[in-house]
Amino acid sequence: RFVSGWTTQESWKMILDSIRPSENAETNSIFVPSPQIALPARKEPCSFYSVPVRWNGDTHGLMSFLLAAMPSRSLVDEIATYCQLLTVGLRKIKLYKMVIERSRRDGLTQLYLRRIFLERLQEEISIAERYGTSFSVILLDIDHFKKVNDLYGHNIGDEMLKMMAGALRRNLRPYDGLCRWGGEEFVATV
């Protein structure tokens, strides 16, 4: 019988300070308290095991188990193996989400791309039709932007685009749609 749970990054140090490494120190993956712990709801002691969920040198969580009896070495190794597989799976999920999010945003300004805006625009039109409301579409363009690039270089032009994106983000509501339409053009729904 297992009871498992996760903890936050802040709690991780506190938990590590309260439990000592087990005999499986070569992998530094399983920790056992000394002596066995007794829970108020149970009359007999339990064995407590924790496996950190780590990748890229960072700890992202802790998988903990309360076992009714002292497990065999093979069960401890099996738990460690399954937790390592879980860690790989969680890392893949995080990387997949990151790739999806990056494919939706402009690399320079971090604003949504035009295709994402067009999807959002269709949603706004549907909501306005359904509820009889209205919304506005605002197209913004930086005047004489080519002169900035020609006179000061593309790095300064890039900084100007980032500043514009930041100013728009700060002055629009979180639920307003905002994207980089292309070049020095931005579009928003409000």
Side-chain angles (χ1 to χ4, degrees), residues 20-22 24 27-32 49-52 76 79-80:
R20 64 177 178 77
S22 74
N24 196 4
T27 63
N28 196 26
S29 61
I30 303 288
F31 295 87
V32 183
Y49 290 87
S50 289
V51 182
V76 169
I79 289 171

Side-chain angles (χ1 to χ4, degrees), residues 166-178:
L168 290 169
R169 205 180 285 115
R170 284 189 303 278
N171 287 288
L172 290 174
R173 299 167 295 192
Y175 51 85
D176 290 330
L178 175 63

Side-chain angles (χ1 to χ4, degrees), residues 73-83:
R73 177 67 187 187
S74 65
L75 180 59
V76 169
D77 291 341
E78 193 174 340
I79 289 171
T81 300
Y82 284 125
C83 288

